[in-house]
Amino acid sequence: AAKRAPAAMIYENEHALAFLDNHPLAEGHALIIPRQHSRNLFDFDDASGQGVMRAARVVARALRVAFNADGMNLFQSSERAAGQDVFHFHFHLVPRRAGDGLMGTREGGERITRWRTRTNPTRAELDAIAERIRVNVVSG
């Protein structure tokens, strides 16, 4: 949120920032964070929540266009029991394609999700992907 670490920025507003995940599940996997520190969903304020959701909506639309996505996952984990391992509130936005292999089924039809890093892009690749998304951002 303080922009001290390198990031492939996509979008920002008064209350939120959006940038690419360094270890994406799929091309275009983005993180949306509030500018004001909040540990998780339980302790962030309404203004931050509205700004983060507005940013998520704007970025999701840009991702859909940039990657011709068939769908989108938006997920968030609060506290260790739910899988949170970075203790600054954030949403993940993952553009999805039919048959992308991120979701599948086990024998008997049980649906499973495979959340694991698919690629490890270089800084130059992340910057190029971010530009591909930024040109499709329409604020609103």
Side-chain angles (χ1 to χ4, degrees):
K3 296 184 178 182
R4 287 183 290 224
M9 297 297 295
I10 299 169
Y11 174 80
E12 57 186 289
N13 64 36
E14 179 184 354
H15 296 285
L17 301 171
F19 51 92
L20 291 177
D21 192 301
N22 287 329
H23 304 288
L25 299 172
E27 189 174 38
H29 177 173
L31 300 174
I32 316 294
I33 66 169
R35 288 181 183 271
Q36 181 176 326
H37 176 70
S38 298
R39 179 180 170 93
N40 55 42
L41 182 63
F42 301 116
D43 73 348
F44 79 7
D45 61 73
D46 290 344
S48 292
Q50 290 169 356
V52 168
M53 281 306 297
R54 185 175 56 234
R57 190 181 73 240
V58 168
V59 172
R61 290 174 178 157
L63 290 170
R64 181 171 54 182
V65 172
F67 299 104
N68 195 28
D70 297 322
M72 189 74 54
N73 282 113
L74 175 127
F75 65 93
Q76 190 280 324
S77 301
S78 288
E79 293 300 339
R80 283 195 200 284
Q84 184 178 11
D85 57 6
V86 173
F87 292 91
H88 182 86
F89 179 88
H90 60 286
F91 277 132
H92 292 261
L93 271 176
V94 182
R96 300 295 303 279
R97 300 294 310 252
D100 63 13
L102 286 177
M103 296 187 99
T105 57
R106 293 189 175 137
E107 283 186 46
E110 177 189 1
R111 192 171 188 141
I112 59 170
T113 303
R114 296 182 190 98
W115 296 125
R116 63 175 182 257
T117 299
R118 298 298 224 177
T119 60
N120 288 303
T122 64
R123 170 63 38 211
E125 290 169 329
L126 287 170
D127 290 340
I129 292 166
E131 179 58 24
R132 183 175 169 188
I133 297 163
R134 281 192 302 267
V135 299
N136 289 291
V137 166
V138 177
S139 293

